[in-house]
């Protein structure tokens, strides 16, 4: 497969060229954090980061998006008729995404693209996206991708993998889509012997830096109702304030809400990220709520990721091990501890 | 992408008729006609399924389909006035244009019911997909596919029963046994049963032999009907329930209507008691 090397400066120039073919999204430093932003040709993306604060989830699955629009104007012959909202679904490249966040998309695909139904917008965005992953040289202390089937240089689902060798980046295409991308980026030929050695060394040392080990091997074997009524949920949920930060940051949380909004006589049907942490998520019109208490909602989040998903798809847990929910939880609820409790129950 | 393949796209329909069903005026039946005949052809449904009613500017509500596929040219939905969308629906006039998205969810186990006696137990306004089922079974094309049909249907008072004209038509037929009941009434003209649905079910349902029971109603009715049916000898595999849940997408994607690893919108709303016993009791 095609390989190319770039200095940091050359890489920024290459991204400028690539803007003719793709909408290019890359990490930019904003305050203390890195965020994905569309590269408008000015400034430079910064590839020296642990991980972006938010995953790239929103680039394929926007936090809020218009689904349909309609007019309520009775003089208009099209009154009350839903029309699909116009969207920009042109090719985009997500450059600098970490392998764990790519895994997030792969897990999410199960939800949005299955035998019975395809979510048209998620699928079209996913299919028009090139994932240019950057391996993790320095995983965070909260990272545990290696426990959930991933790894800091895991190539699964990526179109291109990049190695950050400090002064130079080495990029290797992994798919046909990636070949096309890399050919358009031009750049120097592949790495020399010395650089290849460094790449191998990075791959090895990064894995060694991941100190968290989370066992999930017994989850499939557990009886669902036994786990559901386990005594540890009260304690697990005790400190939770139901803020929803965990679901907001999670690259594998896919739940959404659908709402109609009206401005004057024009209306939109919107889809917005939602969260199982909120009581309104499941409140019936009758007032009945199957998950009215926070312990039920906290249990739902963990049971979904670590048991229901496991049972349903028989392919591991619904977690990429990115560790964001651990890092950003204001009350230090740690999915690694909950997984241990469930796995050893 | 072709809009017809978009599972979120509501087919445009016109409200042809609105019937107030109950004396408290909280339940109205909406008769909807597709604006485009090809949409009607695509909307092929089976009794037990539901659809999302789409009200522009207000949102969507998941409602069981009350018409039967044997009734051509229209759809019926009986809607209780509870929240934002349904309250608005109760204010619209005939002629209003809105949307219907579906059909969604699974259906009553018709293949399994074939050749069997069918026992239907319904309470209150949860009689909608049961109406669909009864009309479907009584259709001359279908009636011989089923054994005896026994229906126990109750409401708090006579004025709260749905589809009263049809109920009295069915009462007169000899190919369906109707047991209509009300919790209480001081109406001297009332000629049917008095008493709660579980008690009437216990008195009227004779046997579980070669029978399947479909139960729809408020949770309290379901809770007290279940032991009656079990005592009669219905195994949990032959007690069929239709569940309600807050829903948005209706296609198993938005995440809120799960019971364990099943989604009520896609894997349900129809479950057997045996299936529910395997799932966490969170509904």
């Amino acid at each position: 497969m095609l390989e190319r090397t770039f200095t940091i400066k050359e890489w920024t120039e290459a991204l400028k060229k690539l803007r003719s073919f793709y909408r290019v999204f890359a990490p930019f430093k904003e305050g203390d954090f890195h965020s994905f932003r569309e590269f408008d040709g000015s400034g430079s993306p910064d590839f020296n980061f642990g991980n972006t604060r938010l995953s790239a989830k929103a680039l394929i699955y926007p936090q809020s998006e218009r689904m349909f629009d309609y007019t309520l104007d009775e003089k208009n012959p099209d009154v009350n008729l839903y029309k699909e909202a116009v969207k920009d679904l042109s090719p985009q490249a997500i450059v600098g995404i970490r392998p764990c966040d790519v895994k997030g998309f792969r897990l999410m695909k199960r939800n949005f693209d299955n035998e019975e139904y395809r979510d048209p917008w998620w699928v079209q965005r996913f299919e028009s996206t090139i994932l240019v992953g950057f391996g993790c040289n320095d995983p965070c202390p909260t990272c545990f991708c290696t426990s959930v089937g991933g790894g800091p240089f895991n190539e699964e689902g990526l179109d291109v993998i990049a190695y950050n060798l400090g002064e130079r980046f080495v990029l290797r295409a992994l798919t046909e889509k990636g070949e096309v991308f890399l050919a358009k980026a031009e750049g120097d030929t592949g790495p020399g012997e010395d650089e290849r050695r460094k790449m191998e060394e990075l791959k090895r040392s990064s894995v060694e830096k991941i100190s968290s080990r989370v066992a999930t091997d017994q989850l499939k074997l557990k009886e669902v109702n036994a786990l559901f009524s386990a005594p540890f949920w009260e304690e697990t949920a005790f400190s939770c304030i139901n803020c929803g930060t965990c679901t907001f940051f999670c690259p594998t949380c896919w739940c959404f809400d659908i709402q109609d909004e009206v401005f004057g006589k024009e209306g939109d049907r919107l889809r917005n990220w939602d969260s199982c942490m909120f009581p309104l998520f499941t409140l019936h019109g009758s007032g009945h709520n199957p998950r009215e208490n926070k312990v039920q909602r906290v249990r739902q989040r963990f049971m979904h990721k670590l048991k229901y998903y496991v049972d349903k798809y028989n392919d591991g847990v619904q977690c990429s091990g990115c560790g964001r929910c651990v890092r950003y939880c204001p009350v230090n609820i740690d999915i690694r501890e909950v997984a241990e409790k469930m796995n050893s129950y | 992408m072709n809009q017809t393949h978009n599972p979120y796209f509501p087919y445009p329909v016109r409200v042809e008729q609105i019937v107030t069903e109950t004396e408290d005026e909280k339940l109205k039946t909406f008769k909807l006609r597709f604006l485009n005949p090809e949409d009607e052809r695509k909307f092929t449904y089976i009794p037990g399924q539901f659809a999302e009613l789409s009200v522009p500017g207000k949102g969507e509500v998941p409602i069981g389909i009350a018409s039967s596929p044997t009734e051509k040219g229209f759809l019926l939905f009986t809607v209780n006035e509870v929240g934002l969308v349904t309250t608005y629906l109760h204010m619209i006039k005939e002629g209003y244009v809105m949307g219907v998205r579906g059909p969604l969810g699974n259906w009553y186990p018709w293949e399994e019911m074939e050749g069997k006696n069918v026992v239907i137990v319904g309470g209150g306004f949860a009689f909608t997909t049961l109406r669909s089922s009864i009309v479907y079974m009584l259709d001359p094309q279908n009636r011989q596919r089923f054994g005896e049909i026994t229906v126990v249907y109750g409401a708090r008072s006579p004025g709260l029963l749905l589809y009263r004209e049809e109920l009295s038509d069915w009462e007169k037929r000899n190919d369906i046994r109707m047991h209509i009941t009300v919790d209480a009434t001081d109406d001297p003209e009332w000629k049917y049963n008095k008493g709660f649905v579980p008690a009437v079910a216990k008195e009227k349902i004779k046997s579980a032999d070669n029978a399947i029971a479909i139960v729809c109603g408020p949770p309290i009715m379901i809770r007290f009907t279940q032991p009656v049916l079990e005592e009669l000898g219905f195994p949990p595999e032959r007690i069929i329930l239709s569940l309600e849940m807050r829903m948005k997408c209706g296609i198993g994607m938005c995440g809120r209507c799960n019971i364990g690893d099943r989604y009520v919108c896609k894997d349900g709303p129809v479950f057997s008691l045996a299936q529910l016993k395997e799932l966490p009791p969170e509904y």
Side-chain angles (χ1 to χ4, degrees):
Chain A
M1 277 290 185
L2 190 59
E3 290 181 313
R4 288 281 181 264
T5 56
F6 302 86
T7 64
I8 295 174
K9 217 175 147 203
E10 285 165 352
W11 178 236
T12 305
E13 290 307 309
L15 289 178
K16 283 183 188 168
K17 265 183 265 165
L18 286 160
R19 287 184 58 244
S20 319
F21 309 100
Y22 308 93
R23 287 174 295 135
V24 175
F25 292 86
F28 286 83
K29 192 160 197 290
E30 290 178 339
D32 291 336
F33 299 100
H34 284 77
S35 321
F36 279 102
R37 226 175 55 201
E38 184 167 1
F39 182 39
D40 62 6
S42 66
S44 309
D46 180 11
F47 293 92
N48 291 307
F49 62 101
N51 204 347
T52 52
R53 182 156 59 154
L54 278 170
S55 77
K57 171 164 84 170
L59 298 179
I60 287 178
Y61 177 42
Q63 190 184 348
S64 184
E65 78 170 311
R66 284 161 69 225
M67 306 169 78
F68 300 99
D69 36 47
Y70 45 85
T71 177
L72 300 174
D73 185 354
E74 279 166 25
K75 290 187 204 106
N76 189 319
D78 285 346
V79 59
N80 286 7
L81 298 183
Y82 287 85
K83 300 197 171 160
E84 197 170 330
V86 179
K87 295 171 196 285
D88 185 355
L89 299 169
S90 60
Q92 61 178 6
I94 306 179
V95 181
I97 186 171
R98 295 297 188 206
C100 54
D101 290 343
V102 173
K103 186 178 173 102
F105 287 134
R106 285 200 297 119
L107 298 182
M108 223 184 247
K109 193 169 187 294
R110 290 227 163 85
N111 188 58
F112 287 117
D113 187 4
N114 56 55
E115 290 156 8
E116 289 148 289
Y117 295 105
R118 301 186 93 197
D119 183 289
W121 305 300
W122 194 96
V123 169
Q124 285 178 90
R125 273 205 197 81
F126 183 72
E127 286 176 351
S128 63
T129 299
I130 296 238
L131 297 168
V132 182
F134 269 60
C136 271
N137 296 1
D138 293 298
C140 311
T142 46
C143 288
F144 57 102
C145 55
T146 48
S147 292
V148 291
F153 281 85
N154 194 310
E155 296 178 353
E156 219 174 337
L158 278 62
D159 294 300
V160 177
I161 176 105
Y163 290 77
N164 183 347
L165 302 181
E167 295 304 305
R168 282 165 79 78
F169 296 157
V170 179
L171 283 85
R172 180 190 303 140
L174 301 168
T175 63
E176 250 171 65
K177 247 166 140 180
E179 287 260 324
V180 173
F181 175 89
L182 213 46
K184 284 177 176 150
E186 298 172 8
D188 258 351
T189 49
E193 278 311 304
D194 196 34
E195 282 172 325
R196 260 183 224 291
R197 258 198 312 279
K198 276 189 194 157
M199 287 156 72
E200 285 311 310
E201 170 58 23
L202 267 183
K203 250 167 119 169
R204 203 179 44 75
S205 64
S206 64
V207 170
E208 282 167 6
K209 285 177 193 164
I210 295 176
S211 54
S212 287
R213 298 277 175 276
V214 185
T216 60
D217 56 312
Q218 300 296 308
L219 292 169
K220 175 87 185 146
L221 307 171
K222 304 286 173 192
E223 211 272 302
V224 64
N225 282 328
L227 273 183
F228 185 86
S229 49
F232 52 73
W233 294 117
E234 284 287 346
E235 197 195 335
T236 303
F238 180 74
S239 58
C240 179
I241 54 172
N242 272 176
C243 64
T245 296
C246 48
T247 57
F248 182 77
F249 278 95
C250 180
T252 75
C253 270
W254 59 57
C255 293
F256 61 86
D257 188 18
I258 297 175
Q259 290 287 335
D260 280 38
E261 293 280 351
V262 176
F263 311 93
K265 293 199 164 176
E266 303 309 309
D268 286 323
R269 174 156 293 166
L270 303 169
R271 153 166 65 201
N272 304 314
W273 290 356
D274 206 344
S275 170
C276 57
M277 290 295 104
F278 305 149
L280 204 58
F281 190 61
T282 48
L283 178 65
H284 291 208
S286 65
H288 171 64
N289 192 343
R291 293 198 279 266
E292 65 179 339
N293 302 315
K294 80 170 174 186
V295 60
Q296 296 166 321
R297 299 194 288 275
V298 171
R299 174 175 58 193
Q300 161 63 19
R301 175 173 147 77
F302 290 116
M303 285 293 278
H304 187 204
K305 294 202 175 302
L306 303 172
K307 182 58 182 166
Y308 303 152
Y309 181 93
V310 173
D311 288 351
K312 192 166 186 141
Y313 297 109
N314 201 18
D315 186 32
V317 294
Q318 187 202 344
C319 172
S320 68
C322 76
R324 285 187 182 88
C325 59
V326 183
R327 282 201 294 289
Y328 297 111
C329 176
V331 297
N332 299 322
I333 294 175
D334 191 327
I335 192 171
R336 296 169 298 182
E337 289 169 19
V338 181
E340 281 298 341
K341 279 184 191 164
M342 290 173 69
N343 198 61
S344 60
Y345 181 64
Chain B
M1 186 169 281
N2 188 336
Q3 270 198 340
T4 56
H5 293 123
N6 185 332
Y8 299 107
F9 180 72
Y11 298 124
V13 290
R14 190 180 303 281
V15 179
E16 195 170 87
Q17 193 188 25
I18 302 172
V19 174
T20 302
E21 292 282 352
T22 53
E23 65 186 2
D24 64 358
E25 299 184 357
K26 284 286 189 188
L27 283 133
K28 287 184 179 177
T29 296
F30 298 83
K31 186 178 191 180
L32 310 178
R33 193 173 286 276
F34 288 93
L35 292 190
N36 308 312
E38 64 269 29
D39 291 344
E40 186 185 351
R41 279 195 293 278
K42 279 180 261 171
F43 195 101
T44 50
Y45 65 99
I46 302 172
Q49 288 192 284
F50 71 98
E52 289 277 355
L53 300 185
S54 224
V55 179
K58 299 297 170 188
E60 292 186 307
V61 273
I63 307 284
I65 305 171
S67 50
S68 157
T70 52
E71 299 172 297
K72 301 290 179 199
F74 61 90
L75 295 174
L76 293 177
F77 293 91
T78 303
V79 179
N80 191 16
E81 182 185 350
V82 274
L84 177 79
V85 179
T86 55
T87 301
Y88 190 82
L89 267 176
H90 270 245
M91 295 190 298
I92 61 158
K93 301 278 188 290
E94 288 166 1
Y96 180 77
V97 171
M98 52 182 279
V100 166
R101 188 157 70 78
L104 301 167
N106 68 352
W107 44 83
Y108 296 122
W110 294 107
E111 280 187 20
E112 215 185 311
M113 283 152 71
E114 203 145 338
K116 290 202 174 70
N117 299 322
V118 178
V119 171
I120 285 181
V121 183
F125 49 79
F127 199 62
T128 58
T129 59
L130 297 181
R131 181 211 173 264
S132 171
S133 302
I134 292 169
V135 172
Y136 176 76
M137 287 189 290
L138 291 181
D139 187 86
Q141 298 284 316
N142 295 329
R143 183 62 192 90
Q144 77 283 359
R145 290 166 51 205
F146 306 97
E148 286 178 10
I149 302 172
T150 309
V151 178
V152 177
Y153 172 44
R156 269 179 290 141
S157 64
L160 293 179
L161 289 163
L162 299 178
Y163 319 123
R164 263 171 297 171
E165 269 181 38
E166 286 176 309
L167 291 180
S168 68
D169 287 348
W170 296 335
E171 269 284 347
K172 290 174 199 137
R173 295 177 67 130
N174 58 13
D175 58 353
I176 177 168
R177 291 182 194 172
M178 294 295 296
H179 302 289
I180 299 164
T181 183
V182 291
D183 295 355
T185 179
D186 48 16
D187 178 2
E189 302 286 297
W190 180 250
K191 53 186 181 194
Y192 308 114
N193 302 284
K194 277 191 219 176
F196 295 122
V197 167
V200 176
K202 187 171 182 162
E203 187 192 323
K204 302 291 183 186
I205 301 168
K206 296 294 176 221
S207 156
D209 286 347
N210 194 35
I212 284 195
I214 302 178
V215 185
C216 285
I220 184 103
M221 187 210 87
I222 292 177
R223 196 179 319 145
F224 286 102
T225 303
Q226 202 177 300
V228 170
L229 294 173
E230 282 173 326
E231 230 169 87
L232 276 163
F234 283 92
E237 294 75 22
R238 286 198 270 125
I239 299 176
I240 310 297
L241 302 157
S242 179
L243 301 188
E244 294 203 327
M245 210 50 118
R246 185 186 181 97
M247 293 174 187
K248 291 286 178 173
C249 72
I251 55 176
M253 287 183 185
C254 81
R256 75 201 58 236
C257 71
N258 73 297
I259 303 174
D261 67 353
R262 304 283 98 188
Y263 287 111
V264 173
C265 71
K266 192 176 83 170
D267 306 307
V270 177
F271 294 91
S272 72
L273 187 58
Q275 287 173 312
L276 287 177
K277 283 184 171 175
E278 302 283 307
L279 296 172
E282 195 176 57
Y283 48 91

